[in-house]
Amino acid sequence: ALQRLAAAERVVEGEFTPGRRGAEWCDAGVLRTLKRRSLARLRREVEPVPPGALGRFLPHWHGVMRPRVGLDALLTVIEQLQGAPLLASALDTEIFPARITGYRPDDLDRLCSAGELRWAGLAAVGPHDGRIALYLSDHWPLLSRAPRAIESPLALRVRGLLAERGAQFFSDLVEQTSAFPTDLLAALWDLVWAGEATNDTLAPLRKIVHGAVSDHRRRSAPPQGLFRSRRLGPPGSEGRWSLLPRPPADMSLGTGLHVQKDMSLSPGAASETARATALARTLLARHGVLTREGVMAEDVAGGFSAVYSVLGAMESAGKIRRGYFVAGLGGAQFAVAGADERLRALREPGDVPEVIVLASTDPANAYGAALPWPERPGTRLARSAHTRVVLVDGVLVAYLAKDARALWTFLPESEPERAQTAAALAGALAGLAHAGRRTLLIGQIDGVDAQVAPLTQTFERAGFAITTQGLFIRGQDEG
């Protein structure tokens, strides 16, 4: 009789009582009520942490506080970052070096050449930069973004050639199209930024990003990577060009929420539910504690609603927790197992302040994404190229503008915390110059010439020198 009731989904068999073994039976409606009330109780038990705790949590979650070593570690980092919009100019110089000790651009090229890694353009940012996304090849069918429309006749012609003949060198495309090399290169990059075309190396991307940069911060040669070509072509044309595969539209994976743990797919296509599930898993792996604001900052198609139902189903299945984890953010917050405990463990700072400098665009920086920027009249901060943030115990204390010409500080009002934080800030920026073996010249601090700013003496004690242009420090191996 119980089996017949179970077949009719009126009762459920399982182990429901803590500490008891063996089969138990429960009315399906009663079980749903128990689960709903249990989840509500768990949510109430979570005491929200201040926003600064999330700012401290993310660098730990991304491994920035303890960089790893080796190619396997690089693959792990890529898996966590895959699909996130990453600024190309920060990839080799800031994002991967922050996570991998002894990082080499060659390693990314090797993974591309071996077919383990794909990169896709998301959007151009000016003529010499852009946002890209990296994907492990097995995860591409589930995580890739839809390409945008292309209107250029030459780009459409190049796409046709790549679709018909497969991967091509730039010299082959010049011969087949009879187009001017500069026009052809522009058409190729139109395809790249539309998410249509890619390359078997990141060398052309590095040439586009670093080839025209000549400021004092990049006097050394740009990262070259593994690829070297004897074929003649303009910078940014290196390697073999190909079309990114398009995952077939919705077919036969069903409407269930189960997706393979490694998110790989057999030749069958991905259903919309499977893609939403894979996206939710990836976002959770990247953020640890996922908020609406964090999803919106990644420009996910469909926004938070694209994964909300999946997150709710994962919570009901006991895979993740929902709660008000971070104060000041929306109530719809989801955490993977262990992330909420780790977040609460970082609620109170330790005896020694944690000071870290990050690229403002780094996914490990919560500010300008999950967390809002601090307010300062007349100042507009943004997650833009060549800007950095300084965090002390997860709290944003400074924003270093592009080219380091301006520094904006957000220090505590009371002493001695203000002086201690200012000293930690100056020391962190001096460490940035030494670690990068580069010069740093700060022209203004909080809108005042650096030579006469209130923090000038603090920076002098950290090793900066006063010059006619501002506060100057030289990396240890320069000069």
Side-chain angles (χ1 to χ4, degrees):
L2 286 170
Q3 294 290 352
R4 289 196 298 272
L5 289 171
E9 298 184 351
R10 293 178 59 185
V11 300
V12 181
E13 181 184 8
E15 294 182 358
F16 306 116
T17 307
R20 183 172 178 176
R21 294 183 176 274
E24 297 176 297
W25 298 85
C26 185
D27 178 87
V30 172
L31 183 60
R32 284 194 294 271
T33 300
L34 286 170
K35 291 180 69 174
R36 184 170 61 251
R37 292 181 179 177
S38 297
L39 290 171
R41 181 177 178 179
L42 286 172
R43 293 171 191 166
R44 289 194 298 270
E45 288 176 352
V46 175
E47 182 181 358
V49 300
L54 181 63
R56 189 179 177 200
F57 165 81
L58 272 180
H60 282 270
W61 187 255
H62 278 262
V64 174
M65 306 307 296
R66 292 185 177 180
R68 289 162 280 186
V69 181
L71 199 58
D72 288 341
L74 179 59
L75 282 168
T76 301
V77 168
I78 292 171
E79 185 173 11
Q80 187 180 35
L81 294 176
Q82 62 181 337
L86 304 174
L87 205 61
S89 59
L91 207 63
D92 288 325
T93 58
E94 295 168 328
I95 293 175
F96 283 118
R99 292 161 170 79
I100 303 295
T101 300
Y103 166 75
R104 300 179 303 173
D106 289 0
D107 291 336
L108 276 186
D109 291 331
R110 287 191 177 93
L111 292 175
C112 286
S113 300
E116 296 287 336
L117 177 66
R118 289 187 178 133
W119 65 273
L122 300 180
V125 179
H128 302 298
D129 208 348
R131 290 185 174 85
I132 69 166
L134 302 175
Y135 301 90
L136 298 181
S137 297
D138 289 345
H139 298 182
W140 168 264
L142 285 171
L143 296 177
S144 59
R145 303 188 182 208
R148 296 189 303 277
I150 291 292
E151 299 180 356
S152 162
L154 182 54
L156 292 172
R157 186 179 175 191
V158 172
R159 184 175 65 183
L161 287 170
L162 294 176
E164 177 185 353
R165 305 187 183 187
Q168 300 283 304
F169 289 104
F170 184 80
S171 56
D172 298 328
L173 291 172
V174 170
E175 182 179 348
Q176 294 164 27
T177 61
S178 300
F180 287 109
T182 52
D183 294 339
L184 178 59
L185 185 64
L188 267 175
W189 281 97
D190 284 343
L191 288 171
V192 169
W193 298 128
E196 289 263 21
T198 189
N199 197 286
D200 59 1
T201 174
L202 278 82
L205 184 66
R206 295 185 183 108
K207 288 290 186 179
I208 290 293
V209 170
H210 300 289
V213 178
S214 59
D215 61 47
H216 70 281
R217 295 177 300 102
R218 303 191 184 277
R219 288 178 293 177
S220 58
Q224 297 296 325
L226 176 68
F227 183 80
R228 302 289 187 273
S229 176
R230 295 181 180 179
R231 291 175 172 84
L232 296 178
S237 66
E238 298 82 359
R240 290 192 308 170
W241 299 91
S242 60
L243 292 181
L244 285 161
R246 291 191 181 185
D250 187 34
M251 289 176 61
S252 76
L253 275 191
T255 58
L257 289 177
H258 174 72
V259 181
Q260 292 174 337
K261 186 175 181 181
D262 64 357
M263 291 189 287
S264 61
L265 276 182
S266 59
S271 70
E272 287 303 313
T273 301
R275 287 176 61 84
T277 304
L279 176 60
R281 290 181 182 274
T282 300
L283 290 170
L284 285 164
R286 180 151 56 250
H287 293 264
V289 177
L290 186 62
T291 65
R292 179 185 298 273
E293 294 82 358
V295 175
M296 298 302 291
E298 292 203 13
D299 195 26
V300 172
F304 194 55
S305 60
V307 294
Y308 183 78
S309 60
V310 174
L311 294 169
M314 294 174 72
E315 183 207 11
S316 297
K319 302 293 185 183
I320 61 175
R321 291 188 67 179
R322 176 177 175 172
Y324 189 48
F325 301 108
V326 183
L329 302 183
Q333 302 176 27
F334 298 87
V336 296
D340 50 340
E341 289 88 354
R342 193 170 180 183
L343 175 66
R344 286 194 293 274
L346 295 170
R347 179 189 185 101
E348 298 296 333
D351 296 333
V352 179
E354 283 185 353
V355 185
I356 185 170
V357 183
L358 289 172
S360 69
T361 58
D362 195 311
N365 168 38
Y367 293 91
L371 298 178
W373 293 111
E375 293 185 5
R376 177 187 286 274
T379 304
R380 187 165 178 243
L381 309 183
R383 294 168 66 98
S384 54
H386 312 309
T387 62
R388 289 181 169 85
V389 294
V390 183
L391 309 180
V392 176
D393 289 328
V395 177
L396 179 70
V397 300
Y399 177 92
L400 190 63
K402 186 176 180 179
D403 300 333
R405 294 299 184 184
L407 178 70
W408 299 97
T409 66
F410 307 92
L411 303 175
E413 294 294 335
S414 59
E415 297 290 357
E417 290 82 4
R418 182 178 180 86
Q420 293 170 349
T421 304
L425 163 63
L429 294 180
L432 175 67
H434 294 318
R437 301 174 184 177
R438 47 170 285 188
T439 60
L440 194 62
L441 178 63
I442 301 175
Q444 288 187 337
I445 300 178
D446 297 329
V448 178
D449 287 342
Q451 302 96 316
V452 295
L455 295 177
T456 299
Q457 291 184 351
T458 302
F459 277 81
E460 281 189 285
R461 287 192 290 270
F464 284 80
I466 298 178
T467 70
T468 56
Q469 294 180 305
L471 291 169
F472 175 85
I473 192 169
R474 189 188 301 276
Q476 289 177 339
D477 291 352
E478 286 207 354

